[in-house]
Amino acid sequence: MENENTFKLCITMAGAVSAGAYTAGVLDYLIETLDLWEKAKEKNRKLGIAHPDYDHTIPMHQVEIDVISGSSAGGISGSLTFMALADKKFKSFNKDNPSGTDNIFYKSWVDMGNTAENSTVDKLLNNSDLKEYGEVRSLLNTQAIDVIADEALAVREQREIPKYASDSLDVILTTTNLRGINFMVNFDDSGRDTSKGTVITNHGGFFRYKLKNDKYPTGIPTKEDELYYVLDLSNETHLQYLKDATLSTAAFPIGLKSREVAISAEYIKRYPKYLFNKSKGIEPLLPEGAIYKFNSVDGGVINNEPYGIGLKVLREKNPKSIEACKYGVIMIDPFPNKDHDVAESGSGIMSIAGGLLKALRNQVMFNQDGILDALDMTDRTKFLIEPVRKIEKDGKWVRPKNDLAAAPIGGFAGFLSRDFREHDFQLGRKNCQVFLRYYFAVASEDIEKRLSIVPNSAIKDRYQFSVPAMDPNGEKFFPIIPDMRVLRNFDNQVDKINYGKDAEIQDLPYPKLSFSEFESRYKSKIKDRIGLIVKHLLKNKFLSFLANFFYAKNAGYKFVKEALEKELGENDLLK
C-alpha cells in the first residue's frame, strides 16, 4: 500500500559506455549517504525524543528509492544497485575502504577485472572469441564482460532491503529487440474480421524486476495487467535471468556482442495492455510455445535516457504521492544531450545520410514511452546529475572540453586505462555530494507539504541553504536527503573530524596516458585482432591473406592509432 507520507524517488540512468564509472560513483555516494542518515534516524528512534542523547538536528522524514530505470551502462548500474541493496557485506568506497573491498560498483566499473599482467585492454583484444565462434560477433572480445557479470551478479549473503528502498522496488532495464514483437491492430469495428487489420512491430522493450519478499512471490504476478518478474537472488536461475537482461541492455552495437534472450511468452502477452493503455483490438502475434527468444542489442539504441518509463511506473505505483508532489526523479547522465542545432542539413548524399540518422535518433527519443509525463516539469520534481569539473586557467575557474576521462572515442576511452575510470568514479561521488547538499532540495516553505515534517530550528540551522549561496536574504531551500557529513550547510561547514576527506571530496588529478607505452604493449594485439576480423569477414583464404598482408593490418592500425592520439590529445589525456 502506498505510504502517503513517504517521499518517493525514481533514479534513472542513461547509457554511457565506459563512463558508467561516473554513474557508479554517483550511486555509491548516494547509497552511503542514505545509509548514514538511516543509521542516525534509527538511533533516534531507539532513544526516543525525550532522551538526553536524542539528536534534534536529524530530520526524521522518510525517502524511499521506489523505481530504478537504466539503459546500457545505466542498466548495468541499475542491476548493481539491486545487488548492493540486498548484499549484507556491501561497503561503500571511502577513506576507510580505499580499495573498494566488497563494493560492487568499484569492482565492476573501476577495477573491471584489471590486473598488471592482464589489463582490461588485453582482454578486449584477446582473439579467443573469434576462434570459438568462427565468425565476427563484435569488434571487441566481450568474454571479459561476461566474467565481470558472473562475479558481480552472484549469490551473496543477503540482508533485508534497507528502509530507504521500497519493498516494492522496481528495476527496469531497457533493451532493443532486433527480432521485434508484432502486434495486430484490428480495424474492424466488430472485432471479428482480422483481415481488416495491419501489423505494427515494436523493437523497444524493457525488463522489469522486483525482489522476492512476503508481499511478492517469485515469478510473474497472477494479475494479468501487471508486468514484472519477481526475482529470488538466492536462486542461480533467477540470477541468470538478471545477468542476461543486464548484458542485453549493455550490448553496444558492433563494438560489443549482441545477446540472445529468452523470456516467458506470458510476459510478452501483457505488453499491449501496458504499451497501449488497455486499448481494444490490439494483440501480440507470438510464435507457439511458452518461451519467446530474441536477439538483443544495447537498450540505448531506442531509449538511452529512460526517465519516461521510470516515471510512468512511479506514477502507477504512487498516484497520491505524485498528486501531492511528494516525489522526485533523478536523472544520472554522463553525456546529456546539449545539441541545440536544428538547422537544415546540406543537400549532399553524406549530409542527407547524417541528417537521417540524427532525425531517426531524435524522433525515437521523443517517442519513448512515458515521455509526456516526464516533460511535465512540476516545480522541483525533476533533477539532473551530470559531470561537472572545473580547472584553473589564467586565474579563473573554467570548464574543460570534457569533464570525464572516459568521454573520448564515443565513451570508449575508459576501457583504455583504469586511471581514467577511477577519476570518473571519484568525480561521480563528488558531484553527488554537491548535488545532495545544494540542488536536490525543496523550497523551505514546502517542507511540510512535500516531506511531511515540521523541522525544528536546529534542523534548519544545520541543513538549510540559500540561493544565492550564503546570502541571508536569499531564497531558502532544504535538502531532500540530508548529508550527515554536514555541520552547517548554509556556509559549507563540514565534519572533517569524523569523516576526514570524505566530508569534502576533491577531484583526483586528471589522468594522463603515455601513448608510446600504450603502443608498445598493444600495437601487435590490435593488428592481430584486425587481421583475424578481416580473415573471418573474407571467407576466401587467399583474398584474406592478400588483404591482411598488403593492407588491412597496417591501414587498420593506422586508423586506430590516429583516432586515439587525436581524441586523447584534444582532451588533454596524453603525457
Side-chain angles (χ1 to χ4, degrees):
M1 179 179 290
E2 179 183 358
N3 187 335
E4 297 174 37
N5 291 324
T6 297
F7 189 94
K8 297 292 185 175
L9 186 58
C10 171
I11 302 172
T12 184
M13 295 162 285
V17 198
S18 64
Y22 174 82
T23 301
V26 171
L27 291 167
D28 186 51
Y29 190 86
L30 175 63
I31 289 176
E32 183 182 14
T33 304
L34 284 166
D35 203 53
L36 289 171
W37 180 32
E38 181 56 37
K39 287 176 181 176
K41 287 193 292 181
E42 185 59 28
K43 182 179 179 181
N44 268 1
R45 292 187 198 107
K46 289 179 178 178
L47 291 173
I49 196 167
H51 195 281
D53 293 332
Y54 185 95
D55 190 342
H56 292 274
T57 71
I58 303 297
M60 297 298 289
H61 64 284
Q62 185 67 18
V63 175
E64 247 180 25
I65 303 173
D66 198 40
V67 178
I68 296 171
S69 63
S71 175
S72 191
I76 294 175
S77 295
S79 294
L80 296 181
T81 304
F82 226 2
M83 300 299 294
L85 292 173
D87 184 2
K88 192 173 183 178
K89 293 185 178 180
F90 174 80
K91 293 191 295 187
S92 288
F93 170 87
N94 51 36
K95 68 177 179 63
D96 299 319
N97 186 24
S99 61
T101 301
D102 291 323
N103 185 292
I104 196 171
F105 298 117
Y106 192 86
K107 291 299 180 185
S108 300
W109 278 112
V110 178
D111 286 346
M112 206 179 275
N114 195 83
T115 65
E117 298 76 25
N118 199 12
S119 71
T120 303
V121 181
D122 285 320
K123 295 174 181 178
L124 292 173
L125 293 176
N126 189 286
N127 293 318
S128 59
D129 59 328
L130 298 173
K131 295 173 182 177
E132 178 182 345
Y133 304 136
E135 63 179 357
V136 181
R137 296 190 178 181
S138 56
L139 294 180
L140 298 173
N141 186 340
T142 59
Q143 291 175 342
I145 296 174
D146 294 348
V147 172
I148 294 169
D150 287 340
E151 294 175 353
L153 306 179
V155 174
R156 291 177 172 79
E157 185 179 0
Q158 292 188 56
R159 63 171 172 174
E160 185 179 344
I161 293 295
K163 290 183 178 179
Y164 52 81
S166 169
D167 59 8
S168 66
L169 174 66
D170 283 287
V171 169
I172 302 165
L173 313 177
T174 65
T175 186
T176 299
N177 179 348
L178 295 183
R179 179 181 180 182
I181 302 170
N182 289 334
F183 296 90
M184 170 63 75
V185 182
N186 192 351
F187 286 94
D188 175 38
D189 289 340
S190 69
R192 294 187 295 269
D193 187 357
T194 57
S195 66
K196 294 181 179 179
T198 186
V199 174
I200 59 175
T201 304
N202 177 41
H203 289 277
F206 60 86
F207 304 96
R208 180 180 172 187
Y209 296 113
K210 293 181 185 291
L211 286 178
K212 174 190 172 184
N213 56 36
D214 293 339
K215 293 182 180 180
Y216 296 96
T218 56
I220 296 176
T222 54
K223 292 182 180 178
E224 292 187 358
D225 60 346
E226 293 183 334
L227 186 66
Y228 55 81
Y229 192 95
V230 180
L231 296 171
D232 178 358
L233 295 184
S234 66
N235 185 309
E236 290 283 2
T237 301
H238 283 204
L239 278 173
Q240 190 62 49
Y241 293 159
L242 180 61
K243 195 179 303 178
D244 288 344
T246 303
L247 293 172
S248 163
T249 192
F252 192 90
I254 311 300
L256 304 177
K257 185 181 73 171
S258 65
R259 303 286 174 168
E260 185 178 73
V261 180
I263 60 175
S264 168
E266 177 61 31
Y267 187 87
I268 300 300
K269 289 176 184 177
R270 299 183 184 190
Y271 254 71
K273 293 181 180 179
Y274 193 87
L275 295 179
F276 304 114
N277 297 319
K278 301 182 181 180
S279 299
K280 295 181 179 179
I282 302 176
E283 60 177 309
L285 302 177
L286 296 175
E288 293 183 2
I291 301 298
Y292 173 79
K293 293 183 179 181
F294 63 95
N295 212 36
S296 171
V297 295
D298 197 312
V301 172
I302 288 179
N303 191 352
N304 195 55
E305 285 130 354
Y307 42 80
I309 182 63
L311 181 53
K312 183 171 183 175
V313 171
L314 191 73
R315 285 181 180 277
E316 288 178 354
K317 295 173 66 178
N318 308 286
K320 293 180 180 178
S321 297
I322 299 296
E323 184 180 353
C325 216
K326 293 181 179 181
Y327 77 99
V329 179
I330 298 176
M331 178 75 192
I332 306 172
D333 195 344
F335 303 126
N337 187 7
K338 303 290 187 180
D339 185 7
H340 300 285
D341 179 21
V342 291
E344 293 183 9
S345 63
S347 57
I349 188 170
M350 296 307 295
S351 294
I352 294 296
L356 177 62
L357 291 174
K358 180 179 177 181
L360 290 172
R361 171 68 172 163
N362 289 343
Q363 194 62 32
V364 162
M365 290 304 300
F366 193 81
N367 285 342
Q368 66 165 276
D369 190 35
I371 187 67
L372 294 181
D373 283 339
L375 293 177
D376 176 17
M377 297 301 289
T378 307
D379 185 39
R380 300 194 74 81
T381 59
K382 316 296 191 302
F383 300 87
L384 173 67
I385 302 180
E386 62 175 320
V388 175
R389 180 175 69 92
K390 292 188 176 181
I391 59 174
E392 191 172 8
K393 188 175 182 180
D394 301 326
K396 296 181 180 180
W397 289 96
V398 298
R399 294 283 296 276
K401 179 179 179 180
N402 272 322
D403 301 289
L404 298 178
I409 323 165
F412 274 83
F415 290 130
L416 302 180
S417 168
R418 185 186 182 281
D419 291 343
F420 290 5
R421 303 189 296 272
E422 186 176 31
H423 169 274
D424 293 353
F425 183 89
Q426 176 83 340
L427 184 63
R429 283 181 55 87
K430 177 180 179 178
N431 285 176
C432 186
Q433 182 176 79
V434 174
F435 171 78
L436 293 179
R437 293 177 183 178
Y438 297 111
Y439 292 92
F440 190 49
V442 300
S444 287
E445 61 267 23
D446 293 333
I447 297 174
E448 183 177 359
K449 172 188 171 185
R450 297 191 61 193
L451 301 182
S452 303
I453 59 166
V454 180
N456 59 39
S457 58
I459 289 174
K460 283 189 173 182
D461 184 63
R462 182 175 180 182
Y463 287 109
Q464 195 169 245
F465 65 95
S466 69
V467 178
M470 292 186 281
D471 183 351
N473 298 316
E475 188 176 2
K476 303 299 189 301
F477 292 92
F478 187 82
I480 295 168
I481 298 175
D483 190 336
M484 296 295 103
R485 307 167 190 85
V486 165
L487 294 174
R488 192 167 184 267
N489 214 25
F490 181 83
D491 50 8
N492 199 32
Q493 293 183 36
V494 295
D495 188 354
K496 292 187 177 180
I497 293 176
N498 289 309
Y499 296 101
K501 62 183 181 180
D502 296 327
E504 195 165 14
I505 296 173
Q506 301 299 313
D507 286 337
L508 289 177
Y510 201 55
K512 306 281 185 180
L513 181 146
S514 167
F515 200 80
S516 60
E517 292 177 8
F518 180 86
E519 249 196 318
S520 176
R521 178 165 182 173
Y522 300 116
K523 180 178 180 178
S524 62
K525 293 184 178 182
I526 294 173
K527 293 179 75 172
D528 286 346
R529 184 156 183 93
I530 291 171
L532 273 176
I533 288 174
V534 172
K535 177 181 177 181
H536 282 85
L537 291 176
L538 294 175
K539 297 298 183 182
N540 185 299
K541 293 183 179 180
F542 180 68
L543 289 178
S544 66
F545 169 77
L546 290 178
N548 276 313
F549 186 81
F550 290 108
Y551 185 73
K553 281 188 177 182
N554 290 329
Y557 180 75
K558 181 182 179 184
F559 174 80
V560 171
K561 176 185 176 181
E562 289 177 352
L564 289 178
E565 277 193 304
K566 180 177 183 293
E567 291 231 18
L568 295 177
E570 288 177 351
N571 289 278
D572 198 27
L573 288 165
L574 291 181
K575 291 181 180 179

